[in-house]
Amino acid sequence: MQSMPSQEDQFDKLARMNPNFDEAGLAAWLHDHPDFFERQADLLASLQLKSPHGQRAVSLQERQLEILRDKNRSRELRLADLLRHGHENDRTLTRMRGWLMGMLSVADAAKLSDAITQGLQQAFDLPCVALRVWEGPQATAKPQDLRQRPAAALLRREHRL
């Protein structure tokens, strides 16, 4: 009874027969012929790979299962991270909406700056808030104009609410 040649011997034989044959070529061929392992089910079942978690050998299916579990864990962590960010965004949106509604309820433009700073401080639990206003060539309203209009009208005009 003849002994079966090792996988390395078979690989070397194929490489000698075809000088362009290498691991990348084999991988490409297997990718292009997905039915190969269907025809060679015994070969597929007998393949043994090293486990990344030790020195023991595992079947191809076990190794694929390990890879899929690792991907699943990674995706679960990513999903949890996305959900956390989504919840944070919802909280920020709720706080912003409350702050904006507070500003819109200010009828006196002279009180608007206090409403802005105090509203931000309360909505976002900030220890300190400062409001700086610069008037430049792009300014559309002069300070006296701001005092004569209700805050809601100014915000609607400026931000198209």
Side-chain angles (χ1 to χ4, degrees):
M1 184 171 186
Q2 275 186 329
S3 66
M4 187 157 192
S6 72
Q7 289 179 348
E8 288 178 3
D9 291 340
Q10 290 176 345
F11 186 82
D12 289 340
K13 182 178 177 183
L14 286 171
R16 282 191 301 273
M17 289 171 36
N18 183 351
N20 296 327
F21 187 81
D22 59 3
E23 287 184 18
L26 176 61
W29 187 88
L30 287 172
H31 185 269
D32 294 341
H33 298 86
D35 59 330
F36 172 77
F37 284 115
E38 290 174 15
R39 293 189 315 269
Q40 302 292 329
D42 291 340
L43 173 63
L44 179 62
S46 68
L47 287 177
Q48 297 290 310
L49 306 172
K50 277 189 180 179
S51 171
H53 305 294
Q55 294 300 323
R56 65 185 181 93
V58 295
S59 70
L60 180 61
Q61 291 91 347
E62 286 178 278
R63 182 68 179 113
Q64 287 174 325
L65 187 59
E66 286 178 24
I67 291 169
L68 290 173
R69 284 182 179 148
D70 288 342
K71 284 183 181 179
N72 191 32
R73 274 190 291 273
S74 168
R75 289 183 177 149
E76 283 176 351
L77 291 173
R78 177 75 175 131
L79 179 60
D81 197 38
L82 289 172
L83 286 171
R84 183 178 53 80
H85 286 294
H87 290 303
E88 288 175 7
N89 289 343
D90 285 344
R91 281 192 298 275
T92 301
L93 176 65
T94 300
R95 290 174 176 184
M96 286 294 295
R97 185 179 295 134
W99 175 66
L100 288 170
M101 296 305 291
M103 285 193 317
L104 289 172
S105 69
V106 175
D108 185 5
K111 296 179 182 176
L112 184 58
S113 65
D114 287 336
I116 291 171
T117 55
Q118 290 171 3
L120 282 172
Q121 199 165 11
Q122 290 170 357
F124 294 98
D125 298 322
L126 300 171
C128 182
V129 174
L131 177 64
R132 304 276 187 244
V133 180
W134 288 267
E135 186 174 348
Q138 302 295 330
T140 58
K142 295 181 181 166
Q144 64 271 16
D145 294 337
L146 292 175
R147 279 186 236 112
Q148 294 171 1
R149 297 183 184 188
L154 288 172
L155 288 172
R156 280 191 198 102
R157 190 190 83 213
E158 294 295 319
H159 300 289
R160 308 220 188 266
L161 292 176

